[in-house]
């Protein structure tokens, strides 16, 4: 994980005194599994996606335990997939690929933060690769059995997504971070990387052997990601 970057300039410039908490100090003082914890630098990156970053940070200071809503298309796009398929994509990305950017869960789905432009390109790449929702291989397929790719919701310019609270998990069923933002410039997968992960999951799900899962059983609270591999 990145070292702490206690940069409060965005917050202080032109800020109006209020009775909220110091969100940067609060984030820095947190303890627990680091992969699912937003850092001060990560909070600054998230706020930078909003039209008015200072106002967004001020709102988070007033309500650090509340989810937020951020627009897509400038700092990031979001690929929204069913939870199980998303877990399998993360297994591929972290076990055999370049890793992932920030990831959250919300309402039974997984939100993968991706490079801007991904929402526009990924659906066409999936269609071109014939990995759409029908998913079956034709008779002339050359040996590798194809599985299925569930419907993906791609959020880009003009869309907005709910992001988890900065300081703790939401109430049961609410949004939470799986891989939290921890730097002002996180690496974000592009459409080709996510296409690769979709294809790998589809093929592995239709093959007899199952890959080893990097996720713990549900009764374990271990940190499940080797975040040192993040770019």
């Amino acid at each position: 994980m990145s070292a702490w970057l206690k940069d409060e300039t965005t917050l202080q410039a032109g800020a109006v005194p209020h009775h909220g908490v110091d969100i940067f100090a609060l984030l820095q003082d947190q303890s627990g599994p680091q992969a699912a914890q937003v850092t001060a630098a990560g909070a600054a990156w998230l706020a930078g996606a909003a039209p008015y970053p200072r106002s967004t940070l001020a709102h988070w200071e007033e309500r650090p335990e509340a989810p937020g809503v951020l627009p897509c298309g400038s700092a990031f796009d979001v690929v929204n997939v069913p939870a199980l398929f998303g877990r399998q994509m993360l297994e591929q990305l972290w076990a055999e690929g370049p890793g992932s950017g920030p990831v959250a869960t919300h309402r039974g789905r997984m939100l993968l933060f991706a490079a801007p432009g991904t929402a526009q390109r990924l659906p066409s790449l999936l269609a071109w690769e014939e990995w759409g929702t029908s998913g079956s291989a034709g008779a002339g397929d050359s040996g590798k059995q194809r599985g299925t790719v569930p419907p993906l919701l791609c959020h880009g310019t003009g869309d907005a997504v709910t992001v988890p609270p900065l300081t703790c998990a939401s109430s049961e069923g609410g949004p939470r971070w799986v891989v939290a933002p921890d730097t002002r410039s996180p690496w974000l997968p592009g459409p080709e990387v996510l296409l690769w992960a979709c294809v790998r999951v589809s093929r592995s799900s239709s093959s007899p052997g199952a890959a080893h899962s990097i996720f713990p059983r549900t009764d374990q609270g271990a940190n499940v990601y080797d975040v040192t591999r993040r770019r």
Side-chain angles (χ1 to χ4, degrees):
M1 300 291 286
S2 300
W4 280 101
L5 300 177
K6 187 173 176 58
D7 183 350
E8 302 182 13
T9 55
T10 303
L11 177 65
Q12 291 180 347
V16 177
H18 55 79
H19 300 288
V21 299
D22 181 348
I23 193 67
F24 289 100
L26 186 61
L27 292 174
Q28 188 169 3
D29 289 342
Q30 288 189 111
S31 60
Q34 292 295 310
Q37 204 173 88
V38 180
T39 67
W45 173 73
L46 285 170
Y52 304 101
R54 290 197 299 270
S55 297
T56 299
L57 285 171
H59 172 73
W60 285 340
E61 285 196 308
E62 293 288 351
R63 302 187 62 194
E65 299 180 0
V69 177
L70 292 175
C72 302
S74 58
F76 54 78
D77 284 358
V78 170
V79 177
N80 181 331
V81 302
L84 177 59
F85 193 81
R87 286 169 65 96
Q88 293 170 333
M89 287 180 66
L90 285 184
E91 288 173 358
Q92 293 293 336
L93 287 167
W94 283 99
E96 300 186 39
S100 74
V103 180
T105 61
H106 186 40
R107 294 181 177 175
R109 296 182 69 89
M110 192 164 283
L111 310 179
L112 289 87
F113 286 67
T118 298
Q120 181 178 4
R121 291 195 59 201
L122 182 58
S124 59
L125 287 176
L126 284 167
W128 181 76
E129 286 286 342
E130 299 179 356
W131 287 98
T133 54
S134 58
S136 312
D141 192 66
S142 63
K144 290 224 177 184
Q145 185 178 3
R146 294 184 178 185
T148 59
V149 172
L152 307 183
L153 304 178
C154 296
H155 307 294
T157 303
D159 300 323
V161 293
T162 299
V163 298
L166 299 184
T167 59
C168 66
S170 298
S171 57
E172 185 176 354
R176 65 179 181 85
W177 290 109
V178 178
V179 180
D182 66 346
T183 174
R184 278 184 172 272
S185 301
W187 177 79
L188 300 173
E192 295 83 1
V193 171
L194 294 178
L195 173 69
W196 171 85
C198 287
V199 171
R200 291 296 294 261
V201 171
S202 298
R203 287 176 174 171
S204 63
S205 64
S206 59
S207 63
H212 176 69
S213 174
I214 66 172
F215 288 91
R217 296 182 182 274
T218 55
D219 59 346
Q220 297 178 348
N223 186 6
V224 300
Y225 291 107
D226 177 7
V227 295
T228 60
R229 295 187 58 197
R230 178 177 299 167
R231 292 186 179 180

Coordinates of all heavy atoms in Angstrom, one line a residue, residues 119-189:
A119 N -16.0 2.2 -20.2 CA -17.5 2.0 -20.3 C -17.9 2.0 -21.8 O -18.9 1.3 -22.1 CB -18.3 3.0 -19.5
Q120 N -17.3 2.8 -22.6 CA -17.6 2.9 -24.0 C -17.0 1.7 -24.8 O -17.7 1.2 -25.7 CB -17.1 4.2 -24.6 CG -17.5 4.4 -26.0 CD -17.0 5.7 -26.6 OE1 -16.4 6.5 -25.9 NE2 -17.4 6.0 -27.8
R121 N -15.8 1.3 -24.5 CA -15.1 0.3 -25.3 C -15.4 -1.1 -24.9 O -15.4 -2.0 -25.8 CB -13.6 0.6 -25.2 CG -13.2 1.8 -25.9 CD -11.7 1.8 -26.2 NE -11.3 0.7 -27.0 CZ -10.1 0.2 -27.0 NH1 -9.1 0.7 -26.3 NH2 -9.8 -0.8 -27.8
L122 N -15.5 -1.4 -23.6 CA -15.7 -2.8 -23.2 C -16.8 -3.5 -23.8 O -16.7 -4.7 -24.2 CB -15.7 -2.9 -21.6 CG -15.8 -4.3 -21.0 CD1 -14.6 -5.1 -21.5 CD2 -15.9 -4.2 -19.5
P123 N -18.1 -3.0 -23.8 CA -19.2 -3.7 -24.4 C -18.9 -4.1 -25.9 O -19.2 -5.2 -26.3 CB -20.3 -2.7 -24.3 CG -20.0 -1.9 -23.2 CD -18.5 -1.7 -23.2
S124 N -18.3 -3.2 -26.7 CA -18.0 -3.5 -28.1 C -16.9 -4.6 -28.2 O -17.0 -5.4 -29.1 CB -17.6 -2.3 -28.8 OG -16.4 -1.7 -28.3
L125 N -15.9 -4.6 -27.3 CA -14.9 -5.6 -27.3 C -15.5 -7.0 -26.9 O -15.2 -8.0 -27.5 CB -13.8 -5.3 -26.3 CG -12.8 -4.2 -26.7 CD1 -11.9 -3.9 -25.6 CD2 -12.1 -4.5 -28.0
L126 N -16.4 -7.0 -26.0 CA -17.1 -8.3 -25.6 C -17.9 -8.8 -26.8 O -17.9 -10.0 -27.1 CB -18.0 -8.1 -24.4 CG -17.3 -8.0 -23.0 CD1 -18.2 -7.5 -22.0 CD2 -16.7 -9.3 -22.7
A127 N -18.6 -7.9 -27.5 CA -19.4 -8.3 -28.6 C -18.5 -8.8 -29.7 O -18.8 -9.8 -30.4 CB -20.3 -7.1 -29.1
W128 N -17.4 -8.1 -30.0 CA -16.5 -8.5 -31.0 C -15.9 -9.9 -30.7 O -15.7 -10.7 -31.6 CB -15.4 -7.5 -31.2 CG -14.4 -7.8 -32.3 CD1 -14.6 -7.7 -33.6 CD2 -13.1 -8.3 -32.1 NE1 -13.4 -8.1 -34.3 CE2 -12.5 -8.5 -33.4 CE3 -12.3 -8.7 -30.9 CZ2 -11.2 -9.0 -33.5 CZ3 -11.0 -9.1 -31.1 CH2 -10.5 -9.3 -32.4
E129 N -15.6 -10.2 -29.5 CA -15.0 -11.4 -29.1 C -16.1 -12.5 -29.0 O -15.8 -13.7 -28.6 CB -14.3 -11.3 -27.7 CG -13.0 -10.6 -27.8 CD -11.9 -11.4 -28.4 OE1 -12.1 -12.7 -28.5 OE2 -10.9 -10.9 -28.8
E130 N -17.4 -12.1 -29.2 CA -18.5 -13.1 -29.1 C -18.6 -13.7 -27.7 O -18.9 -14.8 -27.5 CB -18.4 -14.1 -30.2 CG -18.5 -13.6 -31.6 CD -18.3 -14.7 -32.7 OE1 -18.1 -15.9 -32.3 OE2 -18.4 -14.4 -33.8
W131 N -18.3 -12.8 -26.7 CA -18.5 -13.3 -25.3 C -19.7 -12.6 -24.7 O -19.7 -12.3 -23.5 CB -17.2 -12.9 -24.5 CG -16.1 -13.7 -24.9 CD1 -15.1 -13.4 -25.7 CD2 -15.8 -15.0 -24.4 NE1 -14.2 -14.5 -25.8 CE2 -14.6 -15.5 -25.0 CE3 -16.4 -15.9 -23.5 CZ2 -14.0 -16.7 -24.7 CZ3 -15.8 -17.1 -23.2 CH2 -14.7 -17.5 -23.8
G132 N -20.7 -12.4 -25.5 CA -21.9 -11.7 -24.9 C -22.7 -12.6 -24.0 O -22.2 -13.7 -23.6
T133 N -23.9 -12.2 -23.6 CA -24.6 -12.9 -22.6 C -25.0 -14.3 -23.1 O -25.3 -15.2 -22.3 CB -25.9 -12.1 -22.2 OG1 -26.6 -11.8 -23.4 CG2 -25.5 -10.8 -21.5
S134 N -25.1 -14.6 -24.4 CA -25.5 -15.9 -24.8 C -24.3 -16.9 -24.5 O -24.5 -18.0 -24.1 CB -25.8 -15.9 -26.3 OG -24.7 -15.4 -27.1
G135 N -23.1 -16.5 -24.9 CA -21.9 -17.1 -24.4 C -21.5 -18.5 -25.0 O -20.4 -18.9 -24.8
S136 N -22.3 -19.2 -25.7 CA -22.0 -20.6 -26.2 C -21.1 -20.5 -27.4 O -21.2 -19.7 -28.2 CB -23.2 -21.4 -26.5 OG -24.2 -21.3 -25.5
A137 N -20.2 -21.5 -27.4 CA -19.3 -21.5 -28.6 C -20.0 -22.2 -29.7 O -20.8 -23.1 -29.6 CB -18.0 -22.3 -28.2
G138 N -19.6 -21.8 -30.9 CA -20.2 -22.4 -32.1 C -19.5 -23.7 -32.4 O -18.5 -24.1 -31.9
A139 N -20.1 -24.5 -33.4 CA -19.5 -25.8 -33.8 C -18.1 -25.6 -34.3 O -17.3 -26.6 -34.2 CB -20.4 -26.4 -34.8
G140 N -17.8 -24.5 -34.9 CA -16.5 -24.3 -35.5 C -15.4 -23.8 -34.6 O -14.4 -23.5 -35.0
D141 N -15.8 -23.7 -33.3 CA -14.8 -23.2 -32.3 C -13.6 -24.1 -32.2 O -13.7 -25.3 -32.3 CB -15.5 -23.0 -31.0 CG -14.6 -22.2 -30.0 OD1 -14.4 -21.0 -30.3 OD2 -14.2 -22.8 -29.0
S142 N -12.4 -23.5 -32.1 CA -11.2 -24.3 -32.2 C -10.8 -24.9 -30.9 O -9.7 -24.8 -30.5 CB -10.1 -23.4 -32.7 OG -9.8 -22.4 -31.8
G143 N -11.5 -25.4 -30.1 CA -11.1 -26.2 -29.0 C -11.3 -25.7 -27.6 O -11.6 -26.4 -26.7
K144 N -11.2 -24.4 -27.4 CA -11.4 -23.8 -26.1 C -12.9 -23.6 -25.8 O -13.5 -22.8 -26.6 CB -10.6 -22.5 -25.9 CG -9.1 -22.8 -25.9 CD -8.5 -22.0 -24.8 CE -7.0 -22.2 -24.7 NZ -6.4 -21.6 -23.6
Q145 N -13.4 -24.3 -24.9 CA -14.8 -24.2 -24.6 C -15.1 -22.8 -24.0 O -14.4 -22.4 -23.1 CB -15.3 -25.3 -23.7 CG -16.8 -25.3 -23.4 CD -17.2 -26.5 -22.5 OE1 -16.3 -27.2 -22.0 NE2 -18.5 -26.6 -22.3
R146 N -16.2 -22.2 -24.5 CA -16.6 -20.9 -24.0 C -17.7 -21.0 -22.9 O -18.6 -21.8 -23.1 CB -17.0 -20.0 -25.1 CG -15.9 -19.7 -26.1 CD -16.3 -18.7 -27.1 NE -15.2 -18.3 -28.0 CZ -15.3 -17.4 -29.0 NH1 -16.4 -16.8 -29.2 NH2 -14.3 -17.1 -29.7
G147 N -17.6 -20.2 -21.9 CA -18.6 -20.2 -20.9 C -19.6 -19.0 -21.2 O -19.8 -18.7 -22.4
T148 N -20.0 -18.4 -20.2 CA -20.9 -17.2 -20.4 C -20.4 -16.0 -19.6 O -19.7 -16.1 -18.6 CB -22.3 -17.6 -19.8 OG1 -22.2 -17.9 -18.4 CG2 -22.9 -18.7 -20.6
V149 N -20.7 -14.9 -20.1 CA -20.5 -13.6 -19.4 C -21.8 -13.0 -19.1 O -22.6 -12.7 -20.0 CB -19.7 -12.6 -20.3 CG1 -19.6 -11.3 -19.7 CG2 -18.3 -13.2 -20.6
P150 N -22.1 -12.8 -17.8 CA -23.4 -12.2 -17.4 C -23.4 -10.7 -17.9 O -22.4 -10.1 -18.3 CB -23.4 -12.3 -15.9 CG -21.9 -12.2 -15.5 CD -21.2 -13.0 -16.6
P151 N -24.6 -10.1 -17.9 CA -24.7 -8.7 -18.3 C -23.9 -7.8 -17.4 O -23.9 -7.9 -16.2 CB -26.2 -8.4 -18.1 CG -26.9 -9.8 -18.1 CD -25.9 -10.7 -17.5
L152 N -23.1 -7.0 -18.1 CA -22.2 -6.0 -17.4 C -22.8 -4.6 -17.5 O -23.3 -4.3 -18.6 CB -20.8 -6.0 -18.0 CG -20.1 -7.4 -18.1 CD1 -18.7 -7.2 -18.7 CD2 -20.0 -8.1 -16.8
L153 N -22.9 -3.9 -16.5 CA -23.3 -2.5 -16.5 C -22.1 -1.6 -16.5 O -21.3 -1.6 -15.6 CB -24.2 -2.2 -15.3 CG -25.4 -3.1 -15.1 CD1 -26.2 -2.7 -13.9 CD2 -26.3 -3.0 -16.4
C154 N -21.9 -0.9 -17.6 CA -20.7 0.0 -17.7 C -21.1 1.4 -17.5 O -21.9 2.0 -18.3 CB -20.1 -0.2 -19.1 SG -19.5 -1.9 -19.3
H155 N -20.5 2.1 -16.5 CA -20.9 3.4 -16.1 C -19.7 4.4 -16.6 O -18.6 4.2 -16.1 CB -21.1 3.6 -14.6 CG -22.1 2.6 -14.1 ND1 -23.4 2.6 -14.4 CD2 -21.9 1.5 -13.2 CE1 -24.1 1.6 -13.7 NE2 -23.2 1.0 -13.0
G156 N -20.1 5.3 -17.5 CA -19.1 6.2 -18.0 C -19.6 7.7 -17.9 O -20.4 8.0 -17.0
T157 N -19.2 8.5 -18.9 CA -19.6 9.9 -18.9 C -21.1 10.0 -18.8 O -21.9 9.4 -19.6 CB -19.1 10.5 -20.2 OG1 -17.7 10.4 -20.2 CG2 -19.4 12.0 -20.2
G158 N -21.6 10.8 -17.9 CA -23.1 11.1 -17.8 C -23.7 10.2 -16.7 O -24.8 10.4 -16.3
D159 N -22.9 9.2 -16.2 CA -23.4 8.3 -15.1 C -22.8 8.7 -13.8 O -21.8 9.4 -13.7 CB -23.1 6.9 -15.4 CG -23.7 6.4 -16.8 OD1 -24.8 6.8 -17.1 OD2 -23.0 5.6 -17.5
A160 N -23.4 8.2 -12.7 CA -22.9 8.4 -11.4 C -23.0 7.1 -10.6 O -23.9 6.3 -10.9 CB -23.6 9.5 -10.7
V161 N -22.1 6.8 -9.6 CA -22.2 5.6 -8.9 C -22.1 6.0 -7.4 O -21.6 7.0 -7.0 CB -21.0 4.7 -9.2 CG1 -21.2 4.1 -10.6 CG2 -19.7 5.3 -9.0
T162 N -22.7 5.1 -6.6 CA -22.6 5.2 -5.1 C -21.3 4.6 -4.6 O -20.9 3.5 -5.0 CB -23.7 4.4 -4.4 OG1 -25.0 5.0 -4.8 CG2 -23.6 4.5 -2.9
V163 N -20.5 5.3 -3.9 CA -19.2 4.8 -3.3 C -19.4 4.6 -1.8 O -20.2 5.3 -1.2 CB -18.1 5.8 -3.6 CG1 -17.9 5.9 -5.1 CG2 -18.3 7.2 -3.0
P164 N -18.7 3.6 -1.2 CA -18.9 3.4 0.2 C -18.3 4.5 1.0 O -17.6 5.4 0.6 CB -18.0 2.1 0.4 CG -17.8 1.5 -1.0 CD -17.8 2.7 -1.9
P165 N -18.7 4.5 2.3 CA -18.2 5.5 3.3 C -16.6 5.4 3.3 O -16.1 4.4 3.1 CB -18.8 5.1 4.6 CG -20.0 4.3 4.3 CD -19.7 3.6 3.0
L166 N -16.0 6.5 3.7 CA -14.6 6.5 3.8 C -14.0 5.8 5.0 O -12.9 5.3 5.0 CB -14.1 8.0 3.8 CG -14.4 8.8 2.6 CD1 -13.8 10.2 2.7 CD2 -14.0 8.2 1.3
T167 N -14.8 5.9 6.1 CA -14.2 5.5 7.4 C -14.7 4.1 7.9 O -14.1 3.6 8.9 CB -14.5 6.5 8.5 OG1 -16.0 6.6 8.6 CG2 -14.0 7.9 8.1
C168 N -15.7 3.5 7.4 CA -16.2 2.3 7.9 C -17.1 1.6 6.9 O -17.5 2.3 5.9 CB -16.9 2.4 9.2 SG -18.5 3.4 9.1
A169 N -17.4 0.4 7.1 CA -18.4 -0.3 6.2 C -19.8 0.3 6.5 O -20.1 0.7 7.6 CB -18.4 -1.8 6.5
S170 N -20.6 0.2 5.5 CA -22.0 0.7 5.6 C -22.8 -0.4 6.5 O -22.3 -1.4 6.8 CB -22.7 0.8 4.3 OG -22.1 1.8 3.5
S171 N -24.0 0.0 6.7 CA -24.9 -1.0 7.4 C -25.0 -2.2 6.5 O -24.7 -2.2 5.3 CB -26.2 -0.4 7.7 OG -26.8 0.1 6.5
E172 N -25.6 -3.3 7.1 CA -25.7 -4.5 6.3 C -26.4 -4.3 5.0 O -27.4 -3.8 4.9 CB -26.5 -5.6 7.2 CG -26.5 -6.9 6.5 CD -27.2 -7.9 7.5 OE1 -27.6 -7.6 8.6 OE2 -27.5 -9.0 7.0
G173 N -25.7 -4.8 3.9 CA -26.3 -4.7 2.6 C -25.8 -3.4 1.9 O -26.1 -3.2 0.7
G174 N -25.2 -2.5 2.6 CA -24.8 -1.2 2.0 C -23.4 -1.4 1.3 O -22.8 -2.4 1.4
P175 N -23.0 -0.3 0.7 CA -21.7 -0.4 -0.1 C -20.5 -0.5 0.9 O -20.5 0.0 2.0 CB -21.7 0.9 -0.8 CG -22.5 1.9 0.0 CD -23.6 1.0 0.6
R176 N -19.5 -1.2 0.4 CA -18.3 -1.4 1.2 C -17.1 -1.5 0.2 O -17.3 -2.0 -0.9 CB -18.3 -2.5 2.2 CG -18.4 -3.9 1.5 CD -18.4 -5.0 2.6 NE -18.5 -6.3 1.9 CZ -17.4 -7.0 1.5 NH1 -16.2 -6.5 1.6 NH2 -17.6 -8.2 1.0
W177 N -15.9 -1.2 0.7 CA -14.7 -1.3 -0.1 C -14.2 -2.7 0.0 O -14.1 -3.3 1.1 CB -13.6 -0.3 0.3 CG -14.0 1.1 0.0 CD1 -14.3 2.1 0.9 CD2 -14.0 1.7 -1.3 NE1 -14.6 3.3 0.2 CE2 -14.4 3.1 -1.1 CE3 -13.7 1.2 -2.6 CZ2 -14.5 3.9 -2.2 CZ3 -13.9 2.1 -3.6 CH2 -14.2 3.4 -3.4
V178 N -13.8 -3.3 -1.1 CA -13.0 -4.5 -1.2 C -11.5 -4.2 -1.3 O -10.7 -4.7 -0.6 CB -13.5 -5.5 -2.3 CG1 -12.7 -6.7 -2.4 CG2 -15.0 -5.8 -2.1
V179 N -11.2 -3.4 -2.3 CA -9.9 -2.8 -2.5 C -10.1 -1.3 -2.5 O -10.7 -0.7 -3.5 CB -9.2 -3.3 -3.8 CG1 -7.8 -2.7 -3.9 CG2 -9.1 -4.8 -3.8
A180 N -9.7 -0.6 -1.4 CA -10.0 0.8 -1.3 C -8.9 1.6 -2.0 O -7.7 1.2 -2.1 CB -10.0 1.2 0.2
P181 N -9.2 2.8 -2.5 CA -8.2 3.7 -3.0 C -7.2 4.2 -2.0 O -7.6 4.5 -0.9 CB -9.1 4.9 -3.6 CG -10.3 4.9 -2.8 CD -10.6 3.4 -2.5
D182 N -5.9 4.1 -2.3 CA -4.9 4.5 -1.4 C -3.9 5.4 -1.9 O -2.9 5.7 -1.3 CB -4.2 3.2 -0.9 CG -3.4 2.5 -2.0 OD1 -3.6 2.9 -3.2 OD2 -2.6 1.6 -1.7
T183 N -4.1 6.0 -3.1 CA -3.1 6.9 -3.7 C -3.9 7.9 -4.5 O -5.0 7.7 -4.9 CB -2.1 6.1 -4.5 OG1 -1.3 7.0 -5.2 CG2 -2.8 5.3 -5.6
R184 N -3.2 9.0 -4.8 CA -3.8 10.1 -5.6 C -3.8 9.7 -7.1 O -4.5 10.3 -7.9 CB -3.0 11.4 -5.5 CG -3.3 12.2 -4.2 CD -2.6 13.5 -4.2 NE -3.1 14.4 -3.2 CZ -4.1 15.3 -3.3 NH1 -4.7 15.3 -4.4 NH2 -4.4 16.0 -2.3
S185 N -3.0 8.7 -7.5 CA -3.0 8.3 -8.9 C -3.0 6.8 -9.0 O -2.0 6.1 -9.3 CB -1.7 8.8 -9.6 OG -1.6 10.2 -9.5
P186 N -4.2 6.2 -8.6 CA -4.2 4.7 -8.6 C -4.2 4.2 -10.1 O -4.7 4.8 -11.0 CB -5.6 4.4 -8.0 CG -6.4 5.6 -8.2 CD -5.4 6.8 -8.2
W187 N -3.5 3.0 -10.2 CA -3.6 2.3 -11.5 C -5.0 1.8 -11.7 O -5.6 1.2 -10.8 CB -2.6 1.2 -11.6 CG -2.6 0.5 -12.9 CD1 -2.1 0.8 -14.1 CD2 -3.3 -0.8 -13.1 NE1 -2.4 -0.1 -15.0 CE2 -3.1 -1.1 -14.5 CE3 -4.0 -1.7 -12.3 CZ2 -3.7 -2.3 -15.1 CZ3 -4.6 -2.8 -12.9 CH2 -4.4 -3.1 -14.2
L188 N -5.5 2.0 -12.9 CA -6.9 1.5 -13.2 C -6.8 0.6 -14.5 O -6.2 1.0 -15.5 CB -7.8 2.7 -13.5 CG -8.0 3.7 -12.4 CD1 -8.8 4.9 -12.8 CD2 -8.7 3.0 -11.2
P189 N -7.5 -0.5 -14.4 CA -7.5 -1.4 -15.6 C -8.3 -0.8 -16.7 O -9.3 -0.1 -16.5 CB -8.1 -2.7 -15.1 CG -9.0 -2.2 -14.0 CD -8.2 -1.1 -13.3

